Amino acid sequence: MDTSCFIRPAIEADIDALFDICLKTANGGEDASALYSDPHLPGYVWSVPYLKFAKDFAFVLVQDGRPVGYVVGVPDTSRFDRDLQTNWWPFVRQQIAGLTPTRPRDADVMERIQDPRSGTAWLQDQYPAHLHINILPGLQASGWGRRMIGTELQALRNHGVGGVHLGVDPNNQRARGFYRHLGFSEFEQDGSVAFAMQIDEGLG
């Protein structure tokens, strides 16, 4: 494990890094820069709103003074979705107004922004929290992913949350193996893959 790295709470000044890390890992953990016309598109959905609306559950992995990974989460997915509907998506829609989909992943994310949907609603009763984690390719499989997940679970545990879930690209076998190794249970429904864990039984 690289001892030059450390985990700290995310701050407002990390927003550009969250956009960049999300883009550089949005293709099954690899760089997706060529797949989006606007480099902010994946971050609008999967990273920055968590810092904006759930900052107590947002952490970054820092190496040599710059963020190289993040883990973000929310204790109550339904409430977070409502917050975004009112306070985030109208702003983002203004940012992408006039953008024409021309790259392979544009249309999917733009559709999510216009019509937000949760692919894991069926898990939220038992596992109300959810999280996202991304680390730049150079530090993946370095042991820091486990520590970052542990940091997020502890924050959720301290908040009194019982269960957490996350969605995974069905084609990302490395990520699926990682979550299985950490003790998450795997679920599949309608082509979607998700992992979930009772937090008291999870990482310490």
Side-chain angles (χ1 to χ4, degrees):
M1 182 179 294
D2 190 332
T3 56
S4 69
C5 296
F6 64 93
I7 299 167
R8 64 161 170 79
I11 58 175
E12 194 77 9
D14 296 324
I15 284 179
D16 286 345
L18 263 62
F19 273 123
D20 186 60
I21 295 165
C22 194
L23 178 69
K24 298 290 176 56
T25 56
N27 185 22
E30 302 295 333
D31 191 353
S33 297
L35 304 180
Y36 294 98
S37 299
D38 181 337
H40 293 101
L41 281 175
Y44 282 142
V45 177
W46 292 296
S47 64
V48 173
Y50 294 82
L51 176 56
K52 291 285 191 182
F53 299 99
K55 63 183 179 59
D56 291 343
F57 304 92
F59 303 90
V60 290
L61 176 65
V62 177
Q63 182 184 48
D64 298 329
R66 72 181 187 100
V68 293
Y70 64 78
V71 60
V72 294
V74 297
D76 184 334
T77 298
S78 296
R79 180 175 176 178
F80 180 71
D81 288 347
R82 292 193 297 270
D83 285 347
L84 297 193
Q85 194 68 43
T86 302
N87 301 309
W88 180 244
W89 298 126
F91 162 77
V92 175
R93 288 166 191 147
Q94 290 180 337
Q95 302 306 300
I96 67 169
L99 181 64
T100 301
T102 58
R103 299 282 181 90
R105 298 279 181 86
D106 287 350
D108 177 64
V109 171
M110 292 173 72
E111 180 184 340
R112 287 174 181 266
I113 291 168
Q114 297 297 338
D115 183 20
R117 60 191 185 276
S118 173
T120 57
W122 48 285
L123 286 173
Q124 292 175 22
D125 285 346
Q126 189 172 358
Y127 308 97
H130 78 268
L131 64 84
H132 295 285
I133 179 172
N134 280 302
I135 302 173
L136 290 177
L139 276 171
Q140 293 172 9
S142 64
W144 282 103
R146 180 185 180 90
R147 291 187 64 175
M148 292 173 73
I149 293 284
T151 299
E152 184 66 47
L153 294 185
Q154 188 60 53
L156 293 168
R157 186 182 292 115
N158 291 345
H159 196 73
V161 179
V164 63
H165 71 274
L166 57 105
V168 176
D169 180 341
N171 298 315
N172 192 339
Q173 294 298 331
R174 183 171 55 182
R176 295 173 74 167
F178 171 69
Y179 293 117
R180 291 188 200 108
H181 182 69
L182 294 186
F184 282 79
S185 298
E186 186 171 5
F187 299 88
E188 293 193 41
Q189 180 168 302
D190 300 328
S192 296
V193 174
F195 286 82
M197 174 185 285
Q198 293 297 333
I199 292 176
D200 284 345
E201 301 171 2
L203 304 179

